Amino acid sequence: MIKKIFKKKILVGISTLAVLVTMAGTCNMVTYAKENVMLSASGDEGIVPHSDIIEYRYKVINGDLYRRLYNYTQEYWIGEWELILEGNH
């Protein structure tokens, strides 16, 4: 009986001590965000895009307006020209 009470007191004491040490270790901690700077191959600082820049290019043929997707990052056409507005002939 005495052993059970003694073991319980030791277990409660160790648990309490562990919680107090954990809380005391985080009370006065100050953290700052670090600025993450990416460098290009030439050593210049700058922003490096993670996805390709894809936008429409437009042209007019015989009064009709066409558009086509173009990948500006890798410099190639995507798909075919599509008619979006017919002009008056």
Side-chain angles (χ1 to χ4, degrees):
M1 182 81 167
I2 296 175
K3 286 185 178 182
K4 281 187 176 181
I5 294 172
F6 186 66
K7 284 182 182 180
K8 186 176 180 181
K9 285 185 179 184
I10 289 176
L11 185 60
V12 169
I14 291 174
S15 299
T16 304
L17 183 62
V19 169
L20 290 174
V21 167
T22 303
M23 290 175 59
T26 59
C27 287
N28 294 326
M29 187 178 298
V30 178
T31 58
Y32 298 97
K34 180 182 176 189
E35 184 177 344
N36 196 7
V37 177
M38 300 186 77
L39 300 176
S40 66
S42 64
D44 297 332
E45 294 181 14
I47 298 173
V48 179
H50 293 282
S51 60
D52 291 349
I53 299 170
I54 299 174
E55 295 180 358
Y56 280 106
R57 284 198 176 172
Y58 298 89
K59 73 176 179 179
V60 177
I61 301 175
N62 297 328
D64 297 335
L65 182 62
Y66 292 85
R67 73 177 180 183
R68 187 175 182 185
L69 284 173
Y70 186 75
N71 186 326
Y72 285 92
T73 306
Q74 298 183 17
E75 300 179 349
Y76 67 88
W77 292 102
I78 301 171
E80 299 295 324
W81 288 102
E82 58 185 38
L83 177 66
I84 58 171
L85 183 63
E86 286 189 36
N88 294 331
H89 297 280

